[in-house]
Every structure is written in C-alpha cells, then in structure tokens.
C-alpha cells in the first residue's frame, strides 16, 4: 500500500505581509533557527487568472526548490487533506505590541 502524500499549509510573516503557501515538505532543516519548506504546490495553470494573489506567489517562487523561513516568522503549520488557494494577506500590525527588528 502506498502512503498518502502529506500536504502542509504554512503561514509565515514577511515584510508586513502574511504568506499562506502549500507544500509537500516541511522540516526544521539544516540551518539552526530556520524552517525548511520544499515542494510548493500551486493550482493548475489556466488561461483565465482566477486568483491574482496565487499567481503572484507562483511567479515569486518560480524555480525555487525549497526555501528557509526564520522560525520566529512562522505563524502556523497545518497538515491538511486538500489544497486551498495560496495567498498573500496584509499583516495587521495595529494590535501588535511587538516591535520588529529593523530590516536593512
């Protein structure tokens, strides 16, 4: 019997935005303090762009086999049955009491 392929929904913060992506591989990785995300899963390409946010992510991660996110930027990792839309959302910093480190 074949083992079902795992699918993970990963939410992480980057430059004031929240990214939600779907991936087949998520681990603590070889770099201390980073979460390794690999084998991203996107919806099928069609001639009609249904979700511009997902298309933006597809373009941003085109050619990327795996990437690393600082562990403190990861909001949540869920193992899911079905893939939803990958998207970028505006981060709501208005209620945050944490001041982020400056980005150079």
């Amino acid at each position: 019997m074949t083992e079902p392929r795992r699918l993970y929904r990963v939410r992480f913060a980057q430059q004031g935005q929240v990214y939600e992506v779907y991936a087949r591989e998520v681990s603590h990785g070889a770099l201390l303090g980073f979460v390794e995300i690999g084998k991203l899963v996107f919806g099928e390409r069609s001639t009609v762009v249904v979700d511009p946010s997902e298309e933006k992510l597809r373009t941003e991660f085109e050619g990327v086999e795996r990437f690393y996110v600082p562990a403190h930027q990861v909001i949540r990792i869920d193992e899911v049955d079905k893939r939803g839309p990958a998207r970028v959302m505006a981060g709501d910093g208005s209620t945050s009491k944490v001041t982020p480190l400056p980005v150079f």
Side-chain angles (χ1 to χ4, degrees):
M1 292 191 329
T2 61
E3 184 177 321
R5 296 181 63 189
R6 295 177 188 259
L7 181 63
Y8 300 95
R9 178 178 53 215
V10 182
R11 289 187 185 133
F12 61 93
Q14 178 179 326
Q15 298 178 347
Q17 297 179 318
V18 176
Y19 283 62
E20 182 175 284
V21 296
Y22 289 82
R24 294 278 178 203
E25 296 178 353
V26 176
S27 69
H28 57 78
L31 297 172
L32 184 62
F34 287 83
V35 174
E36 180 179 349
I37 302 169
K39 295 188 179 176
L40 292 176
V41 178
F42 293 105
E44 296 297 319
R45 282 189 188 249
S46 66
T47 56
V48 179
V49 177
V50 177
D51 188 356
S53 179
E54 184 165 350
E55 194 63 31
K56 177 186 172 199
L57 278 172
R58 181 191 306 266
T59 304
E60 183 175 339
F61 289 104
E62 188 173 6
V64 174
E65 231 176 273
R66 63 187 64 252
F67 64 99
Y68 300 86
V69 176
H72 66 278
Q73 295 291 84
V74 174
I75 297 169
R76 185 174 177 147
I77 300 173
D78 298 313
E79 186 174 353
V80 295
D81 294 329
K82 294 181 183 178
R83 189 194 69 78
R87 56 189 172 183
V88 179
M89 301 165 280
D92 183 19
S94 61
T95 59
S96 177
K97 295 181 182 179
V98 178
T99 303
L101 293 173
V103 178
F104 297 100

